[in-house]
Amino acid sequence: MKSLFLKDVLLNGTRTNIRITGNRFSSISTTITPEQDDEVIEASQFAIVPPFYNAHTHAAMSLLRGYADDMPLFPWLNDHIWPFEAKMTSDDIYIGTRLAILEMIKSGTVFYNDMYWMMDAVWKATDEMGVRACLGVTVMDNLGEEKLRKSFDLIEEYQEKSPLISMSVAPHAPYTVSDKLWVRSAEYAKQHNTILHFHLSETEKEVADCVAEHGLTPVRWLDSLGVLSSNCVAAHVVHVDEEVRY
Ligand SMILES: [Zn+2]
């Protein structure tokens, strides 16, 4: 089997040698020397560090980089991003995801926790590029029941297809997901042992709107619905107070 030999790489403050055989670190030692079949990399200018895990992405949005920058969330979403996304094809999403993954690989990111649309295209890009990921299928009420059902079906269809890629349910945000759909998503996640990945408390407006509509902040509203648990990944969570419960 082909081996890589990293010579004189910095590991935890010490120069050492590392052999990688297949996809495993087969040896780490200051005393090992290259063998005949090793591809030797002179690594004295490099350090070896743990990889990055990106906890929240919309990978395909790499294509929208620089588009409608520096705007408040709601006009950005309503007037720019959602109309743009409505024109994106499955191919666009596939290509945008590949670009994002390429950048992740270059920066040492080996896993990403995504939330987007047309996740079959995202899955294909991820599988081809060989990184690990959890791919969140976005759900929100305005998709309508038929598309919602297809979204949940997609999670099941792709859940076991690759040992490197898992699927999750991703209710978009408190302002786009009804109490019924939150509960349905949380129950689905529990039954199917997936994580629940969502946006939460991103802006002051989201908090004010949620308090006006439900009498509770977004975090307390989701808690009152029984949605919050240890299998949740909440993204952003900028506007919260200091109450702590364990
Ligand atoms: Zn996001």
Side-chain angles (χ1 to χ4, degrees), residues 56-58 61 115 172 197 199 202 235-236:
H56 180 66
T57 56
H58 310 288
M61 288 182 84
M115 173 203 285
H172 175 261
H197 179 196
H199 297 124
E202 273 177 273
H236 306 304

PDB file of all heavy atoms in Angstrom, residues 56-58 61 115 172 197 199 202 235-236, ligand 1:
ATOM      1  N   HIS A  56     -21.436  24.911  10.756  1.00  0.00           N
ATOM      2  CA  HIS A  56     -22.622  25.455  10.079  1.00  0.00           C
ATOM      3  C   HIS A  56     -22.248  26.040   8.725  1.00  0.00           C
ATOM      4  O   HIS A  56     -21.524  27.032   8.658  1.00  0.00           O
ATOM      5  CB  HIS A  56     -23.276  26.529  10.942  1.00  0.00           C
ATOM      6  CG  HIS A  56     -24.487  27.128  10.299  1.00  0.00           C
ATOM      7  ND1 HIS A  56     -25.636  26.407  10.057  1.00  0.00           N
ATOM      8  CD2 HIS A  56     -24.738  28.382   9.819  1.00  0.00           C
ATOM      9  CE1 HIS A  56     -26.532  27.178   9.478  1.00  0.00           C
ATOM     10  NE2 HIS A  56     -26.019  28.385   9.304  1.00  0.00           N
ATOM     11  N   THR A  57     -22.741  25.416   7.680  1.00  0.00           N
ATOM     12  CA  THR A  57     -22.453  25.923   6.326  1.00  0.00           C
ATOM     13  C   THR A  57     -23.696  25.884   5.450  1.00  0.00           C
ATOM     14  O   THR A  57     -24.658  25.155   5.725  1.00  0.00           O
ATOM     15  CB  THR A  57     -21.385  25.059   5.619  1.00  0.00           C
ATOM     16  OG1 THR A  57     -21.858  23.708   5.607  1.00  0.00           O
ATOM     17  CG2 THR A  57     -20.044  25.126   6.302  1.00  0.00           C
ATOM     18  N   HIS A  58     -23.645  26.702   4.395  1.00  0.00           N
ATOM     19  CA  HIS A  58     -24.521  26.552   3.225  1.00  0.00           C
ATOM     20  C   HIS A  58     -23.518  26.495   2.071  1.00  0.00           C
ATOM     21  O   HIS A  58     -23.288  27.499   1.400  1.00  0.00           O
ATOM     22  CB  HIS A  58     -25.462  27.741   3.088  1.00  0.00           C
ATOM     23  CG  HIS A  58     -26.198  28.068   4.358  1.00  0.00           C
ATOM     24  ND1 HIS A  58     -27.212  27.284   4.843  1.00  0.00           N
ATOM     25  CD2 HIS A  58     -26.056  29.080   5.243  1.00  0.00           C
ATOM     26  CE1 HIS A  58     -27.655  27.802   5.979  1.00  0.00           C
ATOM     27  NE2 HIS A  58     -26.962  28.887   6.242  1.00  0.00           N
ATOM     28  N   MET A  61     -23.542  28.130  -1.346  1.00  0.00           N
ATOM     29  CA  MET A  61     -23.594  29.590  -1.408  1.00  0.00           C
ATOM     30  C   MET A  61     -22.221  30.210  -1.684  1.00  0.00           C
ATOM     31  O   MET A  61     -22.109  31.436  -1.795  1.00  0.00           O
ATOM     32  CB  MET A  61     -24.191  30.179  -0.122  1.00  0.00           C
ATOM     33  CG  MET A  61     -25.683  29.940  -0.013  1.00  0.00           C
ATOM     34  SD  MET A  61     -26.409  30.686   1.463  1.00  0.00           S
ATOM     35  CE  MET A  61     -26.675  32.359   0.898  1.00  0.00           C
ATOM     36  N   MET A 115     -26.567  22.938   5.611  1.00  0.00           N
ATOM     37  CA  MET A 115     -28.024  23.120   5.588  1.00  0.00           C
ATOM     38  C   MET A 115     -28.326  23.832   4.274  1.00  0.00           C
ATOM     39  O   MET A 115     -27.872  24.945   4.049  1.00  0.00           O
ATOM     40  CB  MET A 115     -28.455  24.006   6.761  1.00  0.00           C
ATOM     41  CG  MET A 115     -29.921  24.402   6.732  1.00  0.00           C
ATOM     42  SD  MET A 115     -30.268  25.909   7.680  1.00  0.00           S
ATOM     43  CE  MET A 115     -30.166  25.312   9.349  1.00  0.00           C
ATOM     44  N   HIS A 172     -35.612  25.609   9.127  1.00  0.00           N
ATOM     45  CA  HIS A 172     -34.817  26.794   8.766  1.00  0.00           C
ATOM     46  C   HIS A 172     -34.604  27.776   9.914  1.00  0.00           C
ATOM     47  O   HIS A 172     -33.484  28.156  10.215  1.00  0.00           O
ATOM     48  CB  HIS A 172     -35.468  27.496   7.566  1.00  0.00           C
ATOM     49  CG  HIS A 172     -34.810  28.779   7.199  1.00  0.00           C
ATOM     50  ND1 HIS A 172     -35.296  30.004   7.590  1.00  0.00           N
ATOM     51  CD2 HIS A 172     -33.670  29.032   6.519  1.00  0.00           C
ATOM     52  CE1 HIS A 172     -34.488  30.954   7.138  1.00  0.00           C
ATOM     53  NE2 HIS A 172     -33.506  30.389   6.475  1.00  0.00           N
ATOM     54  N   HIS A 197     -30.764  20.596  12.989  1.00  0.00           N
ATOM     55  CA  HIS A 197     -29.828  21.692  12.685  1.00  0.00           C
ATOM     56  C   HIS A 197     -30.644  22.909  12.243  1.00  0.00           C
ATOM     57  O   HIS A 197     -31.435  22.809  11.306  1.00  0.00           O
ATOM     58  CB  HIS A 197     -28.908  21.185  11.561  1.00  0.00           C
ATOM     59  CG  HIS A 197     -27.893  22.182  11.089  1.00  0.00           C
ATOM     60  ND1 HIS A 197     -27.219  22.037   9.910  1.00  0.00           N
ATOM     61  CD2 HIS A 197     -27.445  23.351  11.622  1.00  0.00           C
ATOM     62  CE1 HIS A 197     -26.386  23.053   9.743  1.00  0.00           C
ATOM     63  NE2 HIS A 197     -26.510  23.853  10.758  1.00  0.00           N
ATOM     64  N   HIS A 199     -31.248  27.591  12.444  1.00  0.00           N
ATOM     65  CA  HIS A 199     -30.846  28.950  12.824  1.00  0.00           C
ATOM     66  C   HIS A 199     -31.659  29.362  14.044  1.00  0.00           C
ATOM     67  O   HIS A 199     -32.847  29.032  14.136  1.00  0.00           O
ATOM     68  CB  HIS A 199     -31.166  29.935  11.693  1.00  0.00           C
ATOM     69  CG  HIS A 199     -30.418  29.663  10.429  1.00  0.00           C
ATOM     70  ND1 HIS A 199     -31.031  29.459   9.209  1.00  0.00           N
ATOM     71  CD2 HIS A 199     -29.088  29.574  10.192  1.00  0.00           C
ATOM     72  CE1 HIS A 199     -30.112  29.271   8.280  1.00  0.00           C
ATOM     73  NE2 HIS A 199     -28.931  29.325   8.840  1.00  0.00           N
ATOM     74  N   GLU A 202     -30.965  34.972  15.539  1.00  0.00           N
ATOM     75  CA  GLU A 202     -29.928  35.616  14.733  1.00  0.00           C
ATOM     76  C   GLU A 202     -29.934  37.129  14.854  1.00  0.00           C
ATOM     77  O   GLU A 202     -28.891  37.761  14.777  1.00  0.00           O
ATOM     78  CB  GLU A 202     -30.153  35.285  13.254  1.00  0.00           C
ATOM     79  CG  GLU A 202     -29.528  34.016  12.781  1.00  0.00           C
ATOM     80  CD  GLU A 202     -29.886  33.750  11.329  1.00  0.00           C
ATOM     81  OE1 GLU A 202     -30.929  33.136  11.069  1.00  0.00           O
ATOM     82  OE2 GLU A 202     -29.135  34.178  10.448  1.00  0.00           O
ATOM     83  N   ALA A 235     -27.449  27.354  15.006  1.00  0.00           N
ATOM     84  CA  ALA A 235     -26.450  28.231  14.379  1.00  0.00           C
ATOM     85  C   ALA A 235     -26.737  29.695  14.703  1.00  0.00           C
ATOM     86  O   ALA A 235     -27.901  30.081  14.831  1.00  0.00           O
ATOM     87  CB  ALA A 235     -26.450  28.018  12.875  1.00  0.00           C
ATOM     88  N   HIS A 236     -25.665  30.443  14.795  1.00  0.00           N
ATOM     89  CA  HIS A 236     -25.683  31.881  15.060  1.00  0.00           C
ATOM     90  C   HIS A 236     -25.940  32.191  16.537  1.00  0.00           C
ATOM     91  O   HIS A 236     -25.017  32.527  17.252  1.00  0.00           O
ATOM     92  CB  HIS A 236     -26.649  32.635  14.127  1.00  0.00           C
ATOM     93  CG  HIS A 236     -26.357  32.342  12.687  1.00  0.00           C
ATOM     94  ND1 HIS A 236     -25.126  32.549  12.131  1.00  0.00           N
ATOM     95  CD2 HIS A 236     -27.124  31.788  11.700  1.00  0.00           C
ATOM     96  CE1 HIS A 236     -25.138  32.168  10.866  1.00  0.00           C
ATOM     97  NE2 HIS A 236     -26.322  31.688  10.573  1.00  0.00           N
TER      98      HIS A 236
HETATM   99 ZN    ZN B   1     -27.007  29.729   8.088  1.00  0.00          ZN
END
